[in-house]
Amino acid sequence: MADSSSSLLPLCERISHKSYILRIVDLTILVLLFSLLWYRILHMCENNTIWLVAFLCESCFSFMWLIITCIKWSPAEDKPYPNRLDERVHDLPSVDMFVPTADPVREPPIIVVNTVLSLLAVNYPANKLACYVSDDGCSPLTYFSLKEASKFVKIWAPFCKKYNVRVRAPFRYFLNPLVATDDSVFSKDWKMMKREYVKLCRKVEDATGDSHWLDADDDFEAFSNTKPNDHSTIVKVVWENKGGVGDEKEVPHLVYISREKRPNYLHHYKTGAMNFLLRVSGLMTNAPYMLNVDCDMYANEPDVVRQAMCVFLQNSKNSNHCAFVQFPQNFYDSYTNELVVLQHYMKRGVAGIQGPIYIGSGCFHTRRVMYGLSSDDLEDDGSLSSVASREFLSEDSLVRKYGSSKELVKSVVDALQRKSNPQKSLANLVEAAQEVGHCHYEYQTSWGNLGWLYDSVAEDTNTSIGIHLRGWTSSFISPDPPAFLGSTPSVGPEAIVQHRRWATGSIEVLFNKQSPLIGFRRKIKFRQRLAYFWVLMCIRSIPELVYCLLPAYCLLNNSALFPKGPCLGIIVTLVGMHCLYTLWQFMILGFSVKSWYVSQSLWRIIATSSWLFSIQDIILKLLGISKIGFIVAKKNMPETRSGYESKSKPSQGEDDGLKLELGKFEFDSSCHFIPGTFIMLVNLAALAGFLVRLQRSSYSHGGGGGSALAETCGCISVVMLFFPFLKGLFEHGKYGIPLSTLSKAAFLTVLFVVFSVGK
């Protein structure tokens, strides 16, 4: 319960990051874009069709920059003061922590274990925490790993709290050798912890190749004759904290769950698993707040839960209307410096409107909001309004919305009415938890319209829009060091597959009932709609792809693409300002020029390929030819067998932390790399043709009066942007472009050249 004394300092405060200089730069770029469009309109009749194509592409870029400028206009974030929490709040609220995983091969159990260990060891009363691991792959190896982790955490959590260890994921903590110290007790404890962690890793790795333990333990009987897509519901209480007093030696609850799956049933992928987590946790612990993290996203800040509670429990603002607290998504082995920069500027911008967008991990949710409440359903004191009570608490409504489980319905009523959850024995609730995991449980209920929302593989964005449409706000906290750190897929096929899923899900959201394009009477601010529209606008890949081909076409066709004379300065100034602006954004965050160049190149390659194929996925879905699946991105192993130490280093702010050297881009024979290879070959062909004509001194500036120098510079810029593909032409193995991909792209290039020259 919070102390209401107004004389005490606030638990958190809103920090504004408005910058008039950045506003001027954004507006200047916007003016230059509109000037370019106006020039093209004035000279449209004097030029051929390519001028119109360029105008349409640049109109799209101008529109997107206008949206970006609106989003970034008033950036803000919340700054928590967790050290003030103890004097303000005498009884901290409970928090349930969700860790979903789906495939023990693509998401190795040791990664899940490290994430769970970091969560179980955070600085928060253990009797107020519970960790639920959802295993959609129904893997006995994952369950075995959690059982072993539950033994290790009983010494790991006290060790972390005793010595105030900051990094509480063991695989990251033990990267650094023991520093010489006079504290012999600490040295002894450190070495003991290292030995125990190595034993844990060996057990998990040995179990991966030898399943004898599965037959020797009756606890694994539930996993016999199971398949990832065909098995009954499994709920296992791995560890139950029966102490319940919050002692530092206590360890929070740890529960393993795997919902029922059958081949002919729709399971809604990760979204369905999250809703099962919501129901099971409601039955067992029913905490008012919930944290969800990806299985590879460990807690890097031990006070992260306390930081989030500062926002929820702040009395100086209407905390009842804050639906979730989102932390940035940062990585320790990342090529995504571009994502770090985007989060720093764009996420802060959105946070200054109605609140950040939920990104699927590192987010604290309010249970009542996930159960479907709108902001209008609450009185000023946070209690349910009379209208909401009739709508949500009637017996018929409860069964219709939440299903037939009496235990779940009772827990929902308690959550909606903010009643404290009495301590129960988790073992006694296993049967009820299994009931709400049956395949048919959600039929003829509102699940999917409440909880995590269905109808898109981008469940985070879809759910986030649903929350903001109901009038809720959200909060953005960006602490230093980062609250959560995760791993990324290898740079190449895996990264493109992941981005393709994100892009496909975004397009689904753009055209479903949560779309920011419809329902303008709903309680979401106009600029917040623009923010979602920007996130979902993956179709911008089409004008980007076309624009990358225009300089080559004009060079081959001997026509003009860019303005002539002094007006060419519009393009030069625009490109120069944008490059310097983005470079400054990188360098102000501690990145080097090299990391800026690498990130710009990789981001464009991955984004263009993934967005193009996401549009293809949507078209095939609309035509009924294929369905959209959920492909789990492969996570990188954090350890090696020798010493079990990670090869990765933090990337944020460190140039040598870049996982990818320039050009070391992994390729495979999939169709994902055809567009990039095609763009590269077309521009190289155009440059080669221009050089041949120049050598023969037969090149003229007729046919439109184009400036060959400008188009040549355009081709060179595209080649530099797609530099990893240029390197791939001369590499072998996984870093070389496969012959099949090269031959298909070469065929398309020949067609393009013939078409361009023929025109």
Side-chain angles (χ1 to χ4, degrees):
M1 185 173 180
D3 192 330
S4 60
S5 174
S6 60
S7 62
L8 296 175
L9 294 172
L11 293 175
C12 72
E13 58 184 351
R14 176 60 61 94
I15 305 296
S16 174
H17 294 283
K18 291 180 183 178
S19 171
Y20 291 103
I21 296 177
L22 295 184
R23 286 182 177 182
I24 291 172
V25 174
D26 289 333
L27 290 175
T28 302
I29 292 176
L30 191 62
V31 169
L32 288 171
L33 285 166
F34 285 143
S35 299
L36 179 60
L37 294 179
W38 182 245
Y39 179 88
R40 290 205 183 276
I41 291 173
L42 292 177
H43 296 81
M44 191 71 69
C45 297
E46 305 169 12
N47 294 276
N48 54 19
T49 308
I50 204 67
W51 201 264
L52 176 61
V53 175
F55 172 77
L56 294 175
C57 292
E58 289 159 358
S59 297
C60 179
F61 303 151
S62 302
F63 177 64
M64 294 310 299
W65 190 261
L66 175 62
I67 292 179
I68 290 172
T69 301
C70 291
I71 295 171
K72 292 166 56 180
W73 196 253
S74 54
E77 66 177 301
D78 285 314
K79 180 175 178 58
Y81 299 100
N83 56 314
R84 301 173 184 173
L85 199 59
D86 291 332
E87 63 178 283
R88 294 288 302 276
V89 183
H90 308 308
D91 186 18
L92 291 169
S94 299
V95 179
D96 291 335
M97 303 178 290
F98 301 161
V99 182
T101 183
D103 188 332
V105 176
R106 301 184 70 81
E107 297 173 332
I110 194 63
I111 292 181
V112 182
V113 162
N114 271 279
T115 298
V116 170
L117 289 173
S118 71
L119 294 175
L120 295 178
V122 294
N123 289 338
Y124 205 77
N127 62 324
K128 298 290 185 178
L129 294 175
C131 183
Y132 296 84
V133 179
S134 168
D135 178 17
D136 246 17
C138 192
S139 167
L141 178 59
T142 300
Y143 177 56
F144 171 82
S145 302
L146 290 175
K147 286 187 67 175
E148 294 301 318
S150 69
K151 302 172 186 176
F152 176 74
V153 76
K154 293 172 188 175
I155 57 174
W156 172 247
F159 170 80
C160 291
K161 293 175 181 178
K162 178 180 179 181
Y163 295 108
N164 196 27
V165 173
R166 188 184 67 78
V167 179
R168 300 193 177 180
F171 85 100
R172 298 293 293 174
Y173 176 70
F174 291 119
L175 277 178
N176 300 317
L178 178 62
V179 179
T181 176
D182 294 333
D183 190 344
S184 59
V185 177
F186 171 74
S187 299
K188 180 181 178 181
D189 289 347
W190 190 95
K191 293 175 182 177
M192 184 270 291
M193 292 304 308
K194 178 71 177 289
R195 286 195 304 270
E196 293 300 319
Y197 177 65
V198 170
K199 288 180 184 178
L200 168 64
C201 293
R202 283 180 179 151
K203 286 182 180 179
V204 172
E205 187 168 309
D206 292 344
T208 303
D210 185 0
S211 61
H212 71 277
W213 44 269
L214 182 60
D215 301 322
D217 194 335
D218 293 338
D219 197 24
F220 292 90
E221 184 178 353
F223 294 94
S224 60
N225 301 318
T226 61
K227 298 179 181 178
N229 65 340
D230 190 5
H231 61 86
S232 300
T233 305
I234 300 176
V235 178
K236 297 279 190 181
V237 180
V238 181
W239 168 256
E240 182 174 359
N241 176 19
K242 296 181 179 179
V245 295
D247 185 86
E248 287 196 354
K249 293 184 179 180
E250 288 182 18
V251 175
H253 302 307
L254 178 58
V255 181
Y256 169 93
I257 65 174
S258 183
R259 59 188 171 135
E260 181 183 20
K261 279 190 171 183
R262 301 301 176 194
N264 297 323
Y265 282 81
L266 184 62
H267 302 295
H268 301 288
Y269 309 110
K270 180 182 176 181
T271 323
M274 295 304 298
N275 281 331
F276 182 43
L277 280 164
L278 182 58
R279 293 195 294 270
V280 172
S281 64
L283 279 168
M284 289 188 160
T285 46
N286 208 23
Y289 303 106
M290 304 164 294
L291 163 66
N292 92 272
V293 295
D294 288 342
C295 67
D296 63 316
M297 191 70 61
Y298 71 87
N300 187 58
E301 168 56 62
D303 284 328
V304 61
V305 180
R306 298 168 65 85
Q307 290 178 347
M309 292 305 107
C310 286
V311 175
F312 287 126
L313 302 176
Q314 171 64 278
N315 286 325
S316 61
K317 73 175 189 177
N318 192 349
S319 60
N320 295 321
H321 288 80
C322 181
F324 61 86
V325 176
Q326 179 67 63
F327 288 83
Q329 201 166 11
N330 292 290
F331 305 93
Y332 58 82
D333 61 348
S334 173
Y335 60 87
T336 52
N337 293 340
E338 177 80 15
L339 182 59
V340 174
V341 175
L342 276 174
Q343 288 186 129
H344 185 78
Y345 294 100
M346 297 302 292
K347 289 285 173 64
R348 282 180 171 180
V350 181
I353 309 173
Q354 195 171 337
I357 297 170
Y358 167 46
I359 58 176
S361 182
C363 186
F364 288 82
H365 294 276
T366 306
R367 186 177 292 274
R368 295 203 299 171
V369 175
M370 300 305 288
Y371 280 159
L373 286 184
S374 298
S375 59
D376 290 344
D377 293 328
L378 301 181
E379 301 288 357
D380 291 339
D381 62 355
S383 61
L384 288 179
S385 66
S386 56
V387 175
S389 296
R390 289 193 297 271
E391 178 185 352
F392 284 90
L393 301 184
S394 67
E395 186 174 346
D396 291 341
S397 175
L398 286 167
V399 173
R400 185 176 64 254
K401 288 178 180 290
Y402 306 105
S404 57
S405 169
K406 294 180 179 179
E407 293 85 353
L408 177 61
V409 165
K410 183 180 182 306
S411 73
V412 169
V413 172
D414 289 343
L416 294 176
Q417 294 181 333
R418 298 191 301 178
K419 292 182 179 178
S420 59
N421 188 43
Q423 288 191 353
K424 309 171 188 175
S425 173
L426 301 188
N428 296 334
L429 297 168
V430 169
E431 186 175 344
Q434 290 174 335
E435 178 188 347
V436 300
H438 292 162
C439 287
H440 55 77
Y441 184 80
E442 293 185 353
Y443 285 3
Q444 297 183 339
T445 69
S446 296
W447 289 105
N449 291 317
L450 54 81
W452 275 261
L453 304 188
Y454 298 154
D455 299 329
S456 172
V457 292
E459 82 293 335
D460 46 6
T461 307
N462 199 28
T463 302
S464 183
I465 293 181
I467 291 172
H468 284 133
L469 286 172
R470 284 182 272 138
W472 295 101
T473 64
S474 52
S475 175
F476 182 65
I477 301 178
S478 182
D480 186 18
F484 298 97
L485 286 175
S487 64
T488 52
S490 58
V491 183
E494 292 294 339
I496 290 179
V497 166
Q498 186 179 57
H499 282 260
R500 178 178 178 176
R501 173 169 62 82
W502 290 345
T504 302
S506 296
I507 298 176
E508 286 181 308
V509 176
L510 193 62
F511 296 103
N512 72 9
K513 59 186 177 182
Q514 306 295 334
S515 174
L517 301 178
I518 62 176
F520 280 85
R521 292 188 177 182
R522 291 187 279 186
K523 310 177 193 76
I524 185 171
K525 296 181 179 180
F526 177 72
R527 287 173 60 213
Q528 191 77 14
R529 287 182 184 274
L530 292 181
Y532 279 112
F533 188 69
W534 173 76
V535 170
L536 302 174
M537 271 295 291
C538 299
I539 54 177
R540 63 181 181 267
S541 59
I542 296 177
E544 287 180 356
L545 173 63
V546 172
Y547 208 75
C548 285
L549 297 173
L550 288 182
Y553 176 87
C554 291
L555 207 57
L556 291 166
N557 188 249
N558 194 20
S559 58
L561 173 63
F562 301 113
K564 297 180 292 183
C567 292
L568 182 62
I570 298 176
I571 290 283
V572 175
T573 305
L574 185 59
V575 173
M577 278 194 67
H578 187 268
C579 289
L580 291 175
Y581 187 30
T582 54
L583 175 59
W584 175 82
Q585 289 179 325
F586 269 73
M587 296 187 71
I588 203 71
L589 295 179
F591 297 114
S592 67
V593 176
K594 177 184 175 183
S595 63
W596 165 74
Y597 175 49
V598 172
S599 295
Q600 293 291 309
S601 179
L602 294 181
W603 186 262
R604 187 55 48 223
I605 292 169
I606 293 172
T608 300
S609 298
S610 58
W611 291 343
L612 279 174
F613 286 100
S614 68
I615 295 172
Q616 169 195 291
D617 292 339
I618 291 295
I619 293 174
L620 293 177
K621 176 187 176 182
L622 293 175
L623 294 176
I625 298 175
S626 67
K627 296 181 180 180
I628 295 174
F630 188 99
I631 302 175
V632 178
K634 185 174 178 58
K635 308 297 190 301
N636 297 316
M637 279 290 291
E639 285 93 4
T640 63
R641 182 155 181 89
S642 58
Y644 297 94
E645 294 183 355
S646 171
K647 295 179 180 179
S648 306
K649 295 182 180 180
S651 65
Q652 187 171 353
E654 299 179 13
D655 182 45
D656 62 353
L658 277 173
K659 186 179 175 183
L660 181 76
E661 290 296 328
L662 188 57
K664 293 297 184 180
F665 189 89
E666 295 181 13
F667 295 91
D668 66 5
S669 58
S670 68
C671 56
H672 293 125
F673 301 101
I674 295 177
T677 307
F678 169 59
I679 292 172
M680 171 61 62
L681 292 179
V682 163
N683 282 275
L684 288 176
L687 289 171
F690 171 70
L691 291 175
V692 169
R693 286 201 300 258
L694 190 65
Q695 187 177 14
R696 295 176 179 177
S697 301
S698 61
Y699 187 85
S700 69
H701 294 286
S707 171
L709 178 61
E711 282 71 38
T712 302
C713 291
C715 286
I716 294 173
S717 298
V718 174
V719 170
M720 294 303 295
L721 191 61
F722 285 77
F723 188 77
F725 282 86
L726 181 62
K727 290 278 288 184
L729 292 174
F730 308 101
E731 295 278 356
H732 300 284
K734 65 179 181 179
Y735 297 125
I737 300 177
L739 183 60
S740 59
T741 301
L742 194 58
S743 59
K744 293 171 185 175
F747 175 72
L748 294 175
T749 301
V750 171
L751 293 180
F752 183 89
V753 171
V754 171
F755 174 78
S756 302
V757 174
K759 286 286 185 176

